[in-house]
Each structure stands twice: as structure tokens, then as C-alpha cells.
Amino acid sequence: MLATPETARIAAVRYGDNAFGRVETLGYGQSQQIGGVTVRMAPAGHVLGAAQVVIEAEGARAVVSGDYKRHADPTTQPFELVECDLFVTEATFGLPVFKHPPIGQEIRRLLTSLARFPDRTHAVGAYALGKAQRLIVELRLAGYERPIWLHGALTKLCTAYQEMGIDLGELRQATVADAKDMAGEIVLAPPSALADRWARRLTDPLPVAASGWMQVRQRARQRGVELALVISDHADWDGLIQTITETKAEEVWVTHGAEDALIHWCQTHQIKARALRLVGREEDGE
């Protein structure tokens, strides 16, 4: 079972007891009145439950995107386009060089490597929330039916996805397994785990990284990655400008990434734009 509106109801915004009233939880499509302002959540397509915040007051509408992507992802609700007057967009990959390939192409590269090196453990660095589950489901859709081994740090979130109806197939614990049992298999782990002592116990490990940043070859070399998979849960350059165009926003605030290039693009297309700088929202490891 893939992501459905029911499984994605974890998307929510919570308001504490304050002048606006009691605590509320909003699912997709639900709205809340706060004073004279209406707030609702719309799917962002980033990971399961990710939401855009749609704010309406006095005939004007603002959309705060958070992290989002436009590429298909079977583990989450697709991005919902909301036309607005003001759009707040991320810019993690806000440079024209970033154009993410179809994920099926990258999954085929991983399976080709596995067939070429059948005795090597393919240790894939993937973030625990969203990226790991998406990789697993895409491997299943590509016909990979063997068990997939998980570092302990990925277990709880994979279990949570399964409890919400996302079928991940057979998963096994890599942390306590014998290394010889994982030879020639796919092991998923946090990126940081591939650089520590844990990874050295694997049988002839082949380091793999799944990230939008793998489009930058120097990053792959610096991290000792042998197989760089360009797989991102953020919009690439084309996705960013497509979204800005389709929202029909008259003004755009850009944050979380490479703001300058996107602001310049907006201004050359007669869209008011400026950087919105938030403390702690620097470059995403992705």
C-alpha cells in the first residue's frame, strides 16, 4: 500500500492554549480560524506528513512552503499547488546546475552495481525520515524482493511508515547481524554511520550515497562515495521556478538555501522577491 490521504493525516499544525483558543490539530484540507485569519494545511510532497501552511486574511493569501518537491514519491501525498499572492519558498537546490534525474534511473544504477559486484555489501547512506523509506519502496517497485537490511537508527521510522500502511517488504536488522549474512545485500544507514567503525565490519562495503548533493562530484569524492545516487526530497531548479510560476504569486520570499539566484530569476520575470533569513536554516545535508 502506498501513501493515501488517510496515511498522510499526520500532517498537522498545533496551536497551544493562548489568546486564539484551545489546541487544534489540522489534517490536510482542514482549516482553523485564528482571529480574523484562516489557516489550513496542504501537502508539500517532501516526506510523509509534510505540509505547506496556507494563510488567508482580508482577501489575500500567503503560502509558506517549507521543504517540498514536485517529483513523484509513492510514500507521501503529492505536492498540492496553491495559487497565492505571497509565496515563501525554500531554495535548497536554488541553482540552475541542479536538475535531478528520475528516481527510477538512479535505482537502476544501484541494482546494476549490485549485479556487477554480487559479493560486496552495498552500504547506502540515507536519512532516516523520508529518504530511507522512499528508497525501499522504489526498490520494491523496481522488482527487488530480497530483504533490505537496516541500521538501528532507521528502524523506528520505518516501523512508523509500515504502521501507516506503507509496505516496505521484508526488513532485517543490520546492527546485530553477522557481516557475512549481508554480503551482496543492500544495507541502509544514516550517512554518518558509513564513516564510522560500524561500516568497517561489513563485508567489502561499497559506499553509496543517495542525495541531491551527489550531483556535485567533489562532494562524492570528499565522502569516499563509490556510487553517487542523485536522489532528492527537495525541488530542483526546474521544480522551484515551475512552482513559483504556477502559484501566480506577485511576491516571493526565498529562504533555506541559495537565495540569490532564485531572487534574480524572479526579478527578471517581473516578480517581487527578497531573501527571508531564518536563524538555524542553513544548507540542508539532504
Side-chain angles (χ1 to χ4, degrees):
M1 179 179 177
L2 304 183
T4 67
E6 289 73 25
T7 64
R9 285 182 65 83
I10 63 170
V13 60
R14 299 179 184 275
Y15 301 99
D17 293 326
N18 52 37
F20 297 126
R22 61 186 178 83
V23 173
E24 295 288 347
T25 299
L26 298 183
Y28 295 145
Q30 298 176 330
S31 62
Q32 170 74 20
Q33 290 290 326
I34 308 174
V37 178
T38 301
V39 178
R40 71 177 178 89
M41 302 292 106
H46 176 55
V47 298
L48 184 62
Q52 305 172 81
V53 183
V54 183
I55 306 167
E56 297 184 77
E58 299 180 355
R61 178 186 293 157
V63 175
V64 182
S65 72
D67 294 337
Y68 67 96
K69 69 174 178 291
R70 303 300 300 270
H71 290 174
D73 180 347
T75 67
T76 186
Q77 287 291 98
F79 177 90
E80 178 184 320
L81 181 74
V82 181
E83 293 186 4
C84 55
D85 303 289
L86 169 66
F87 184 55
V88 181
T89 181
E90 64 141 311
T92 304
F93 294 104
L95 291 171
V97 67
F98 290 112
K99 297 182 185 295
H100 301 147
I103 190 171
Q105 171 184 311
E106 301 302 277
I107 293 295
R108 286 192 296 273
R109 293 179 59 226
L110 174 57
L111 295 177
T112 298
S113 179
L114 197 65
R116 183 179 179 186
F117 303 106
D119 298 325
R120 300 189 67 182
T121 302
H122 282 58
V124 184
Y127 281 93
L129 175 59
K131 182 67 64 66
Q133 297 79 25
R134 185 183 181 200
L135 283 172
I136 292 169
V137 170
E138 292 288 354
L139 281 164
R140 301 309 187 197
L141 292 174
Y144 187 79
E145 298 179 350
R146 285 153 58 179
I148 294 175
W149 299 77
L150 299 180
H151 184 282
L154 274 56
T155 302
K156 287 186 178 181
L157 281 169
C158 284
T159 299
Y161 268 64
Q162 290 172 312
E163 290 174 349
M164 292 179 209
I166 307 297
D167 185 7
L168 302 179
E170 183 180 355
L171 305 177
R172 296 183 182 178
Q173 294 300 307
T175 309
V176 297
D178 193 311
K180 68 177 185 300
D181 293 334
M182 296 181 285
E185 303 292 340
I186 294 175
V187 177
L188 298 186
S192 60
L194 300 187
D196 66 22
R197 185 171 54 187
W198 178 84
R200 292 196 290 272
R201 60 183 288 270
L202 300 174
T203 301
D204 193 14
L206 192 155
V208 184
S211 169
W213 295 112
M214 289 300 100
Q215 194 162 355
V216 181
R217 294 182 181 179
Q218 185 177 358
R219 290 201 176 212
R221 289 195 297 267
Q222 288 173 343
R223 299 182 184 184
V225 172
E226 290 190 39
L227 179 60
L229 304 178
V230 183
I231 298 175
S232 175
D233 289 317
H234 295 262
D236 62 6
W237 175 259
D238 289 343
L240 291 168
I241 62 175
Q242 173 192 356
T243 304
I244 290 170
T245 301
E246 291 179 349
T247 63
K248 300 180 181 178
E250 296 178 359
E251 184 170 355
V252 174
W253 295 354
V254 184
T255 188
H256 190 195
E259 295 100 341
D260 291 347
L262 202 54
I263 290 171
H264 176 73
W265 182 90
C266 288
Q267 292 172 343
T268 58
H269 288 77
Q270 291 72 56
I271 301 170
K272 292 173 60 179
R274 69 178 182 87
L276 174 63
R277 305 201 182 277
L278 301 176
V279 174
R281 295 290 287 177
E282 304 302 329
E283 179 184 287
D284 192 328
E286 227 274 329

